[in-house]
Amino acid sequence: MKISVIGAGYVGLTTAACLAEIGHTVSCADNDERKLDLLGNGQMPFFEPHLEDIVVRNTKAGRLRFETTEAAVTGAQAIFICVGTPPLENGEADLSAVANVARTIGQRTAGPCLVIEKSTVPVQTGQQLKRQLQLYASKGLHCNLVSNPEFLREGSAIEDFFHPDRVVIGVETEEAARQMEEIYRPILEQNCICPVHAQCTNRKKPAWVVTDMNSSELIKHASNSFLAMKISFINMVADLCEQVGADVTKVALGMGMDPRIGPAFLNPGIGFGGFCFPKDVQAFVRIAEKAGCDFSLLKEVERINKRRIDLFVEKVRRELWVVRGQKIALFGIAFKPNTDDIRFAPAIELLNMLVREGAIVSAYDPQAAEKAKTVCPDVQYCSTPYEAARGADAILIATEWEDSIGWIGRN
């Protein structure tokens, strides 16, 4: 199938490359011409394990190309909208990029096509998208609209695409459901060979969840908000454990053995970050407020998360007595391992707080250091954990990179 993916960010580029890998002809578009030039030359705008190999291989094979949005949507049988929906000041999602893509699709697409909303958007966005397409549509345009939320985790996005737990689609017609099934058939039947781990081909087939568009749109926000709530809950349990002399790792282990709870997202730390959880929690709160629902529970999740850095710095103060003039090494800057993404990363706030308190800060991250230099310039960035730790009065682990954890274990 001839497919266009609009947006070459984490979701869009991964989606485009993996769709090409399973046999589709894919055009990936972005409004950043410099990014398109880099991708056309096989250079990645961000780090994601294994993604570069897939992009380069499929570009050389002619299944994947990079071009403008106008060119990409022309003649496409299916169009995935994967543009960013960053938070506005009031917490709502900024849907201007989605609206702009809808206008371009309406103006440039002549024949029937499938329009797939993959960006994380508030519930009822599909209804607005339909109106936008109709407003700008050229004569004879027939579009089937689909909501297809993504559940790709940065750092393991490739495996998540090829071996998802579930594929969720919100549709208005049976025709759209059949078209989506055709697109994802190799994934649903698990008859494609995962380009990362050959042994993954025996995994069980993902669940195929077909629902209405409003429900599909809610699934993504509800899922991420629930996981954020789980993180804030275990962090509060960790605080309680410190006060009463219990071991939070053992408490989390015992909790996670309950199949109704599960072990995932029960690792206490300095709070959740990244581009998804913080903005999705805020957006879900605003969605609820506009619908007249009191979602105070999620406001408390936010409050708990925002306090994690302050509490952590207070622990550092207690251990060092005086922070000013002390050398502190920080291992990990990205919001999670196996990515270079520093958006809303707790470590960035931690670095800035330590610098403001007068600490001499050295930091190590195998992927995110270059990006961090632009927002935290008053930090010494090191190429190895040993270099960062040399002469340090304290070592703080903010991101669980394997090499950093291994270095601590060896030393």
Side-chain angles (χ1 to χ4, degrees), residues 44 66 75 87 100 155 163 234 239 322 382:
M44 297 297 103
F66 301 95
N100 288 336
H163 303 290
I234 197 63
D239 291 347
V322 176
C382 304

Side-chain angles (χ1 to χ4, degrees), residues 215-229:
S215 298
S216 176
E217 289 168 338
L218 269 179
I219 286 170
K220 177 60 185 292
H221 274 122
S223 296
N224 278 359
S225 296
F226 183 84
L227 294 175
M229 182 176 64

Side-chain angles (χ1 to χ4, degrees), residues 30-68:
D30 199 275
N31 59 6
D32 186 339
E33 294 184 5
R34 181 177 174 274
K35 181 187 289 186
L36 294 178
D37 290 339
L38 286 173
L39 288 166
N41 292 318
Q43 300 179 55
M44 297 297 103
F46 55 84
F47 174 73
E48 177 64 38
H50 312 294
L51 179 58
E52 182 176 354
D53 292 340
I54 299 174
V55 169
V56 171
R57 178 168 60 253
N58 284 279
T59 301
K60 289 182 177 179
R63 290 188 297 270
L64 177 63
R65 65 178 184 270
F66 301 95
E67 54 190 359
T68 64

Side-chain angles (χ1 to χ4, degrees), residues 26-177:
V26 183
S27 294
C28 185
D30 199 275
N31 59 6
D32 186 339
E33 294 184 5
R34 181 177 174 274
K35 181 187 289 186
L36 294 178
D37 290 339
L38 286 173
L39 288 166
N41 292 318
Q43 300 179 55
M44 297 297 103
F46 55 84
F47 174 73
E48 177 64 38
H50 312 294
L51 179 58
E52 182 176 354
D53 292 340
I54 299 174
V55 169
V56 171
R57 178 168 60 253
N58 284 279
T59 301
K60 289 182 177 179
R63 290 188 297 270
L64 177 63
R65 65 178 184 270
F66 301 95
E67 54 190 359
T68 64
T69 301
E70 290 78 6
V73 301
T74 303
Q77 296 170 280
I79 302 170
F80 282 82
I81 300 176
C82 300
V83 294
T85 54
L88 297 169
E89 288 187 7
N90 65 357
E92 292 184 21
D94 182 353
L95 300 177
S96 58
V98 176
N100 288 336
V101 172
R103 177 181 299 188
T104 302
I105 293 171
Q107 293 173 338
R108 304 286 298 204
T109 304
C113 68
L114 190 67
V115 177
I116 303 116
E117 166 197 274
K118 204 165 187 66
S119 300
T120 301
V121 295
V123 63
Q124 298 181 334
T125 296
Q127 297 172 18
Q128 297 290 343
L129 185 58
K130 177 190 281 189
R131 282 193 282 269
Q132 192 84 349
L133 286 168
Q134 291 171 344
L135 178 63
Y136 293 101
S138 55
K139 187 176 180 180
L141 175 62
H142 170 67
C143 288
N144 273 323
L145 281 179
V146 179
S147 167
N148 176 216
E150 58 84 17
F151 301 100
L152 304 176
R153 298 167 298 169
E154 290 183 35
S156 58
I158 302 303
E159 186 172 347
D160 288 345
F161 184 93
F162 285 98
H163 303 290
D165 298 316
R166 77 281 202 202
V167 177
V168 176
I169 63 167
V171 296
E172 295 180 312
T173 66
E174 291 184 5
E175 179 189 15

